[in-house]
Amino acid sequence: MTAPTVARTARAAPLRLHLSESPYGPSPHALRAAHAAVDDIGTYPDPTRTAPARAIADLLGVHPEQVAVANGSDELVLLTALCVGDPGRPGVTTAGTFPGYRICLETARRGCHEVPLDGTSPGVTALADAMASAGIAYVCNPHNPGGGALNHAELDLLVERAAATGTPLVVDEAYLDFAPPGTPQILDHLGSGAPVLALRTFSKAHGLAGLRIGYAVGDAGLVARLREVQGTMPFSVNRVAQAAAVAALADREHLEHVRTGNTAAREGFRAALAARGRHALPSVTNFLAVPVGDSARAERLLEDDHGILVRDAGRFGLAGHLRISVGPAGHLDRLLDALDAVDPVTHRRTSDLPVSRTTPAQEQQ
Protein backbone atom coordinates (compact mmCIF):
# COMPACT_ATOMS: atom_id res chain seq x y z
CA MET A 1 0.00 0.00 0.00
CA THR A 2 1.36 3.39 -0.97
CA ALA A 3 1.52 5.95 1.81
CA PRO A 4 -0.54 9.09 1.19
CA THR A 5 1.31 12.12 -0.03
CA VAL A 6 1.42 14.91 2.55
CA ALA A 7 1.32 18.36 1.01
CA ARG A 8 4.06 20.65 2.26
CA THR A 9 3.65 24.37 2.58
CA ALA A 10 6.47 26.23 0.92
CA ARG A 11 8.43 28.36 3.38
CA ALA A 12 9.63 31.76 2.33
CA ALA A 13 13.36 32.32 2.18
CA PRO A 14 14.67 33.67 5.50
CA LEU A 15 15.64 37.30 5.89
CA ARG A 16 19.43 37.51 5.75
CA LEU A 17 20.58 39.84 8.53
CA HIS A 18 23.49 37.67 9.68
CA LEU A 19 26.39 38.19 7.25
CA SER A 20 26.69 41.99 6.90
CA GLU A 21 25.69 41.78 3.24
CA SER A 22 25.00 45.01 1.38
CA PRO A 23 21.33 45.71 0.61
CA TYR A 24 22.53 48.19 -2.05
CA GLY A 25 24.16 45.54 -4.22
CA PRO A 26 27.22 46.09 -6.41
CA SER A 27 27.96 49.00 -8.70
CA PRO A 28 26.14 48.75 -12.06
CA HIS A 29 29.56 49.13 -13.68
CA ALA A 30 30.85 46.17 -11.70
CA LEU A 31 27.87 44.10 -12.78
CA ARG A 32 28.47 44.91 -16.44
CA ALA A 33 32.16 44.07 -16.10
CA ALA A 34 31.30 40.77 -14.42
CA HIS A 35 28.82 39.82 -17.14
CA ALA A 36 31.36 40.63 -19.85
CA ALA A 37 34.03 38.55 -18.12
CA VAL A 38 31.76 35.50 -18.13
CA ASP A 39 32.25 35.28 -21.90
CA ASP A 40 35.91 34.38 -21.27
CA ILE A 41 35.51 31.80 -18.53
CA GLY A 42 36.97 29.12 -20.78
CA THR A 43 40.41 30.59 -20.11
CA TYR A 44 42.27 30.84 -16.82
CA PRO A 45 42.33 34.15 -14.93
CA ASP A 46 45.49 36.23 -14.58
CA PRO A 47 47.49 34.49 -11.83
CA THR A 48 49.31 37.74 -11.00
CA ARG A 49 46.02 39.64 -10.46
CA THR A 50 47.73 42.57 -12.15
CA ALA A 51 44.69 44.66 -13.11
CA PRO A 52 43.06 44.78 -9.66
CA ALA A 53 46.42 45.19 -7.92
CA ARG A 54 47.24 48.22 -10.07
CA ALA A 55 43.77 49.70 -9.64
CA ILE A 56 44.04 49.35 -5.86
CA ALA A 57 47.54 50.80 -5.79
CA ASP A 58 46.50 53.78 -7.91
CA LEU A 59 43.50 54.48 -5.70
CA LEU A 60 45.46 54.24 -2.43
CA GLY A 61 48.60 55.97 -3.68
CA VAL A 62 50.93 53.04 -3.03
CA HIS A 63 53.17 50.87 -5.24
CA PRO A 64 51.62 47.75 -6.79
CA GLU A 65 54.30 45.76 -4.94
CA GLN A 66 52.52 46.73 -1.74
CA VAL A 67 49.27 45.04 -2.78
CA ALA A 68 48.31 41.35 -2.81
CA VAL A 69 44.91 40.39 -4.23
CA ALA A 70 43.30 37.19 -2.97
CA ASN A 71 40.13 35.11 -2.78
CA GLY A 72 38.51 37.31 -0.16
CA SER A 73 40.21 38.52 2.99
CA ASP A 74 39.65 35.03 4.45
CA GLU A 75 42.37 33.68 2.16
CA LEU A 76 44.66 36.46 3.34
CA VAL A 77 44.09 35.59 6.99
CA LEU A 78 45.16 32.02 6.20
CA LEU A 79 48.14 33.14 4.11
CA THR A 80 49.41 35.45 6.84
CA ALA A 81 49.05 32.65 9.39
CA LEU A 82 51.05 30.36 7.10
CA CYS A 83 53.91 32.59 6.11
CA VAL A 84 54.16 35.94 7.92
CA GLY A 85 56.24 36.54 11.03
CA ASP A 86 57.99 34.00 13.25
CA PRO A 87 56.25 30.61 12.88
CA GLY A 88 58.00 29.36 15.99
CA ARG A 89 55.99 31.67 18.22
CA PRO A 90 52.20 31.70 18.62
CA GLY A 91 50.10 34.43 17.14
CA VAL A 92 48.15 36.83 19.31
CA THR A 93 44.76 38.46 18.89
CA THR A 94 41.96 39.71 21.09
CA ALA A 95 39.22 37.59 22.53
CA GLY A 96 35.67 38.23 21.38
CA THR A 97 36.46 38.86 17.73
CA PHE A 98 36.33 37.23 14.30
CA PRO A 99 37.35 33.60 14.98
CA GLY A 100 39.15 33.18 11.66
CA TYR A 101 42.41 34.50 13.10
CA ARG A 102 42.53 31.83 15.78
CA ILE A 103 41.29 29.08 13.45
CA CYS A 104 43.92 29.85 10.81
CA LEU A 105 46.74 30.11 13.36
CA GLU A 106 45.75 26.76 14.80
CA THR A 107 45.43 25.24 11.33
CA ALA A 108 48.96 26.45 10.58
CA ARG A 109 50.03 24.80 13.87
CA ARG A 110 51.36 28.07 15.26
CA GLY A 111 48.91 28.34 18.14
CA CYS A 112 47.03 31.42 19.26
CA HIS A 113 46.96 33.49 22.43
CA GLU A 114 43.87 35.66 22.97
CA VAL A 115 44.00 38.71 25.24
CA PRO A 116 40.80 39.76 27.02
CA LEU A 117 38.46 42.41 25.69
CA ASP A 118 38.29 45.81 27.36
CA GLY A 119 34.56 45.69 28.07
CA THR A 120 33.20 45.12 24.59
CA SER A 121 36.19 46.68 22.78
CA PRO A 122 39.59 45.24 21.81
CA GLY A 123 42.08 45.09 24.68
CA VAL A 124 44.67 47.21 22.89
CA THR A 125 47.12 47.66 25.79
CA ALA A 126 47.13 43.94 26.55
CA LEU A 127 47.55 43.14 22.85
CA ALA A 128 50.49 45.54 22.58
CA ASP A 129 52.14 44.00 25.65
CA ALA A 130 51.70 40.49 24.21
CA MET A 131 53.37 41.32 20.89
CA ALA A 132 56.88 40.99 22.33
CA SER A 133 56.46 37.22 22.65
CA ALA A 134 54.22 36.69 19.61
CA GLY A 135 55.09 35.68 16.05
CA ILE A 136 52.27 37.73 14.51
CA ALA A 137 49.40 39.88 15.82
CA TYR A 138 45.86 40.40 14.52
CA VAL A 139 43.33 43.07 15.37
CA CYS A 140 40.01 43.91 13.75
CA ASN A 141 39.43 47.63 13.08
CA PRO A 142 36.56 48.45 12.88
CA HIS A 143 35.81 45.68 15.32
CA ASN A 144 33.78 42.63 14.38
CA PRO A 145 31.35 41.92 16.05
CA GLY A 146 31.33 44.99 18.30
CA GLY A 147 31.27 47.60 15.54
CA GLY A 148 33.52 50.25 17.10
CA ALA A 149 36.82 51.63 15.81
CA LEU A 150 40.21 52.15 17.44
CA ASN A 151 41.22 55.72 18.15
CA HIS A 152 44.49 57.16 16.83
CA ALA A 153 46.42 56.61 20.06
CA GLU A 154 45.43 52.94 20.15
CA LEU A 155 46.46 52.18 16.58
CA ASP A 156 49.63 54.23 17.03
CA LEU A 157 50.53 52.10 20.05
CA LEU A 158 50.12 48.85 18.12
CA VAL A 159 52.13 50.09 15.14
CA GLU A 160 54.90 51.37 17.40
CA ARG A 161 55.02 48.01 19.19
CA ALA A 162 55.21 46.21 15.84
CA ALA A 163 58.19 48.38 14.89
CA ALA A 164 59.91 47.87 18.25
CA THR A 165 59.41 44.09 18.44
CA GLY A 166 59.51 43.20 14.74
CA THR A 167 56.23 41.33 15.21
CA PRO A 168 54.06 41.86 12.12
CA LEU A 169 50.73 43.57 12.83
CA VAL A 170 47.80 42.49 10.64
CA VAL A 171 44.80 44.82 10.84
CA ASP A 172 41.54 43.50 9.40
CA GLU A 173 39.86 46.56 7.86
CA ALA A 174 36.94 44.74 6.23
CA TYR A 175 34.45 47.36 7.48
CA LEU A 176 36.58 50.47 7.03
CA ASP A 177 34.61 51.67 3.98
CA PHE A 178 31.62 52.34 6.25
CA ALA A 179 33.57 54.34 8.84
CA PRO A 180 33.68 58.17 8.86
CA PRO A 181 36.63 60.09 7.37
CA GLY A 182 39.56 60.27 9.75
CA THR A 183 39.05 56.79 11.21
CA PRO A 184 42.53 55.39 11.99
CA GLN A 185 43.83 52.97 9.37
CA ILE A 186 47.05 51.20 8.45
CA LEU A 187 47.44 53.31 5.31
CA ASP A 188 48.44 56.19 7.62
CA HIS A 189 51.45 54.17 8.81
CA LEU A 190 52.90 52.68 5.64
CA GLY A 191 55.82 55.11 5.65
CA SER A 192 56.81 54.26 9.21
CA GLY A 193 58.87 51.18 8.35
CA ALA A 194 56.83 49.07 10.75
CA PRO A 195 55.88 45.52 9.63
CA VAL A 196 52.18 46.16 9.06
CA LEU A 197 49.47 44.82 6.75
CA ALA A 198 45.84 45.83 6.27
CA LEU A 199 43.31 43.32 4.96
CA ARG A 200 40.35 44.66 2.99
CA THR A 201 37.46 43.16 1.07
CA PHE A 202 35.05 43.83 -1.78
CA SER A 203 32.38 41.77 -0.02
CA LYS A 204 30.94 44.49 2.21
CA ALA A 205 30.53 48.06 0.90
CA HIS A 206 31.24 47.04 -2.71
CA GLY A 207 28.62 44.29 -2.60
CA LEU A 208 30.71 41.58 -4.29
CA ALA A 209 30.41 38.94 -1.55
CA GLY A 210 29.48 36.18 -3.98
CA LEU A 211 32.62 36.68 -6.08
CA ARG A 212 35.13 36.39 -3.22
CA ILE A 213 37.85 38.96 -3.71
CA GLY A 214 39.88 40.99 -1.24
CA TYR A 215 43.37 42.40 -0.84
CA ALA A 216 46.23 43.14 1.51
CA VAL A 217 48.11 46.43 1.46
CA GLY A 218 51.20 47.17 3.50
CA ASP A 219 54.90 46.52 3.93
CA ALA A 220 56.37 45.44 0.57
CA GLY A 221 58.42 42.65 2.15
CA LEU A 222 55.39 41.10 3.82
CA VAL A 223 53.35 41.45 0.62
CA ALA A 224 56.11 39.75 -1.37
CA ARG A 225 55.94 36.82 1.04
CA LEU A 226 52.17 36.59 0.58
CA ARG A 227 52.53 36.62 -3.19
CA GLU A 228 55.17 33.92 -3.04
CA VAL A 229 52.92 31.58 -1.09
CA GLN A 230 49.98 32.43 -3.35
CA GLY A 231 51.95 30.66 -6.06
CA THR A 232 50.69 27.37 -4.62
CA MET A 233 47.18 28.33 -5.81
CA PRO A 234 47.81 30.76 -8.67
CA PHE A 235 44.23 30.96 -9.95
CA SER A 236 42.39 31.48 -6.66
CA VAL A 237 40.91 34.81 -7.81
CA ASN A 238 38.60 34.13 -10.73
CA ARG A 239 38.32 36.17 -13.91
CA VAL A 240 34.86 37.56 -13.10
CA ALA A 241 35.91 38.74 -9.64
CA GLN A 242 39.00 40.51 -10.98
CA ALA A 243 37.01 42.37 -13.64
CA ALA A 244 34.21 43.35 -11.25
CA ALA A 245 36.65 44.60 -8.61
CA VAL A 246 38.41 46.94 -11.05
CA ALA A 247 35.09 48.40 -12.16
CA ALA A 248 33.85 48.71 -8.58
CA LEU A 249 36.91 50.70 -7.54
CA ALA A 250 36.31 53.16 -10.37
CA ASP A 251 32.71 53.82 -9.34
CA ARG A 252 33.28 56.16 -6.41
CA GLU A 253 29.76 57.55 -6.72
CA HIS A 254 28.21 54.18 -5.94
CA LEU A 255 30.48 53.66 -2.95
CA GLU A 256 29.55 57.07 -1.56
CA HIS A 257 25.87 56.24 -2.07
CA VAL A 258 26.36 53.04 -0.07
CA ARG A 259 28.28 54.83 2.68
CA THR A 260 25.73 57.62 3.05
CA GLY A 261 22.76 55.30 2.90
CA ASN A 262 24.27 52.89 5.40
CA THR A 263 25.04 55.62 7.93
CA ALA A 264 21.48 56.93 7.78
CA ALA A 265 19.98 53.43 7.96
CA ARG A 266 22.25 52.37 10.83
CA GLU A 267 21.35 55.37 12.96
CA GLY A 268 17.69 54.96 12.07
CA PHE A 269 17.90 51.34 13.21
CA ARG A 270 19.61 52.46 16.43
CA ALA A 271 16.81 54.97 17.07
CA ALA A 272 14.14 52.32 16.42
CA LEU A 273 15.84 50.01 18.92
CA ALA A 274 15.99 52.80 21.49
CA ALA A 275 12.28 53.54 20.97
CA ARG A 276 11.62 49.96 22.08
CA GLY A 277 13.89 50.27 25.09
CA ARG A 278 16.88 48.51 23.54
CA HIS A 279 20.56 49.40 23.51
CA ALA A 280 23.15 48.87 20.75
CA LEU A 281 26.92 49.14 20.96
CA PRO A 282 28.55 52.13 19.21
CA SER A 283 29.20 51.18 15.57
CA VAL A 284 30.84 52.64 12.47
CA THR A 285 30.04 49.52 10.41
CA ASN A 286 27.00 48.13 8.59
CA PHE A 287 25.78 46.16 11.60
CA LEU A 288 24.80 46.74 15.20
CA ALA A 289 25.63 44.52 18.18
CA VAL A 290 22.47 44.36 20.29
CA PRO A 291 22.49 42.95 23.84
CA VAL A 292 19.90 40.26 24.60
CA GLY A 293 19.28 37.93 27.51
CA ASP A 294 20.43 34.72 25.78
CA SER A 295 22.01 35.31 22.38
CA ALA A 296 22.16 31.66 21.33
CA ARG A 297 18.48 31.14 22.13
CA ALA A 298 17.47 34.40 20.45
CA GLU A 299 19.38 33.48 17.27
CA ARG A 300 17.67 30.08 17.16
CA LEU A 301 14.14 31.37 17.80
CA LEU A 302 14.45 34.21 15.32
CA GLU A 303 15.30 31.68 12.62
CA ASP A 304 12.94 28.88 13.60
CA ASP A 305 9.88 30.91 14.54
CA HIS A 306 10.27 34.06 12.45
CA GLY A 307 12.46 33.17 9.47
CA ILE A 308 15.08 35.80 10.31
CA LEU A 309 18.82 35.06 10.31
CA VAL A 310 21.03 37.02 12.70
CA ARG A 311 24.43 36.19 14.19
CA ASP A 312 24.88 35.15 17.79
CA ALA A 313 28.02 37.10 18.71
CA GLY A 314 28.73 34.43 21.28
CA ARG A 315 30.15 32.49 18.34
CA PHE A 316 32.83 35.21 18.30
CA GLY A 317 33.28 35.21 22.06
CA LEU A 318 30.94 38.15 22.74
CA ALA A 319 28.08 36.30 24.40
CA GLY A 320 24.83 38.06 25.15
CA HIS A 321 24.82 40.06 21.90
CA LEU A 322 23.26 39.61 18.48
CA ARG A 323 25.11 41.04 15.48
CA ILE A 324 22.39 42.34 13.18
CA SER A 325 23.09 43.60 9.67
CA VAL A 326 21.70 46.98 8.63
CA GLY A 327 19.39 45.55 6.01
CA PRO A 328 16.38 46.99 4.17
CA ALA A 329 13.95 48.98 6.33
CA GLY A 330 11.14 46.45 5.94
CA HIS A 331 13.41 43.62 7.07
CA LEU A 332 14.51 45.58 10.13
CA ASP A 333 10.89 46.34 11.04
CA ARG A 334 10.15 42.60 10.99
CA LEU A 335 13.26 41.95 13.04
CA LEU A 336 12.26 44.47 15.70
CA ASP A 337 8.83 42.87 16.15
CA ALA A 338 10.32 39.38 16.23
CA LEU A 339 13.02 40.41 18.70
CA ASP A 340 10.36 41.73 21.07
CA ALA A 341 8.69 38.32 20.89
CA VAL A 342 11.80 36.23 21.61
CA ASP A 343 13.53 38.63 24.04
CA PRO A 344 10.99 40.94 25.69
CA VAL A 345 12.47 44.20 26.93
CA THR A 346 10.40 44.01 30.11
CA HIS A 347 12.68 41.19 31.27
CA ARG A 348 15.76 43.40 31.09
CA ARG A 349 17.10 46.22 33.24
CA THR A 350 19.35 49.09 32.20
CA SER A 351 21.87 47.95 34.82
CA ASP A 352 22.19 44.63 32.97
CA LEU A 353 23.55 46.30 29.84
CA PRO A 354 27.31 46.14 29.16
CA VAL A 355 29.45 49.22 29.38
CA SER A 356 31.00 50.18 26.05
CA ARG A 357 33.68 52.66 25.17
CA THR A 358 32.95 55.37 22.57
CA THR A 359 35.86 56.54 20.43
CA PRO A 360 36.26 59.94 18.74
CA ALA A 361 35.40 58.37 15.40
CA GLN A 362 32.11 57.08 16.77
CA GLU A 363 31.24 60.44 18.30
CA GLN A 364 31.06 61.85 14.77
CA GLN A 365 28.02 59.69 14.05
Side-chain angles (χ1 to χ4, degrees):
M1 180 176 178
T2 304
T5 301
V6 178
R8 295 186 179 182
T9 302
R11 184 173 180 178
L15 301 189
R16 297 173 62 87
L17 298 176
H18 63 316
L19 292 177
S20 308
E21 294 162 332
S22 172
Y24 304 94
S27 156
H29 300 291
L31 277 177
R32 285 193 291 271
H35 290 159
V38 169
D39 292 338
D40 294 324
I41 59 172
T43 57
Y44 284 105
D46 175 11
T48 66
R49 296 99 160 160
T50 298
R54 284 180 176 170
I56 292 163
D58 289 345
L59 179 66
L60 300 182
V62 300
H63 296 291
E65 292 77 16
Q66 292 178 277
V67 177
V69 178
N71 187 269
S73 53
D74 288 327
E75 182 186 23
L76 290 162
V77 174
L78 178 58
L79 288 174
T80 53
L82 287 171
C83 71
V84 170
D86 182 353
R89 295 188 293 172
V92 63
T93 187
T94 64
T97 193
F98 176 61
Y101 317 133
R102 172 183 51 79
I103 292 169
C104 288
L105 285 166
E106 291 175 349
T107 299
R109 300 184 179 181
R110 295 176 70 158
C112 179
H113 171 60
E114 295 181 335
V115 302
L117 289 174
D118 178 7
T120 57
S121 302
V124 172
T125 301
L127 183 63
D129 290 343
M131 288 175 68
S133 58
I136 188 172
Y138 295 87
V139 67
C140 196
N141 181 49
H143 184 250
N144 179 17
L150 301 180
N151 61 39
H152 285 282
E154 290 170 330
L155 186 58
D156 288 350
L157 173 62
L158 294 176
V159 173
E160 289 166 3
R161 195 58 55 87
T165 62
T167 300
L169 173 66
V170 180
V171 180
D172 186 347
E173 296 180 344
Y175 294 93
L176 184 66
D177 284 323
F178 298 108
T183 299
Q185 57 181 300
I186 281 298
L187 200 63
D188 300 331
H189 296 273
L190 293 191
S192 67
V196 293
L197 285 171
L199 309 185
R200 298 187 180 182
T201 182
F202 288 88
S203 295
K204 305 304 181 185
H206 289 291
L208 299 180
L211 293 182
R212 310 306 305 132
I213 182 166
Y215 63 95
V217 57
D219 175 81
L222 298 182
V223 170
R225 184 71 180 123
L226 290 177
R227 288 184 165 191
E228 179 183 356
V229 177
Q230 276 186 317
T232 61
M233 296 191 69
F235 304 113
S236 68
V237 184
N238 68 72
R239 177 180 294 277
V240 177
Q242 292 192 41
V246 172
L249 287 174
D251 192 350
R252 308 310 293 171
E253 182 178 351
H254 178 76
L255 181 60
E256 189 56 34
H257 168 69
V258 171
R259 285 168 45 85
T260 302
N262 175 76
T263 299
R266 183 185 65 227
E267 298 314 310
F269 182 30
R270 183 188 302 280
L273 286 163
R276 296 179 184 234
R278 294 189 183 276
H279 167 73
L281 300 186
S283 175
V284 297
T285 68
N286 67 337
F287 61 79
L288 290 178
V290 181
V292 293
D294 184 332
S295 52
R297 177 179 181 274
E299 178 195 62
R300 184 180 68 256
L301 292 180
L302 285 170
E303 179 178 3
D304 292 347
D305 296 349
H306 300 274
I308 301 174
L309 302 177
V310 298
R311 179 66 79 220
D312 168 20
R315 298 170 183 264
F316 295 65
L318 190 63
H321 295 75
L322 295 178
R323 191 192 70 185
I324 305 172
S325 308
V326 181
H331 292 188
L332 294 176
D333 288 341
R334 275 187 55 186
L335 176 280
L336 288 165
D337 290 339
L339 191 56
D340 284 346
V342 305
D343 183 70
V345 175
T346 54
H347 293 172
R348 300 171 57 74
R349 304 186 308 271
T350 302
S351 59
D352 293 330
L353 298 175
V355 176
S356 59
R357 177 170 51 82
T358 302
T359 70
Q362 293 152 17
E363 290 169 354
Q364 298 179 31
Q365 299 303 300

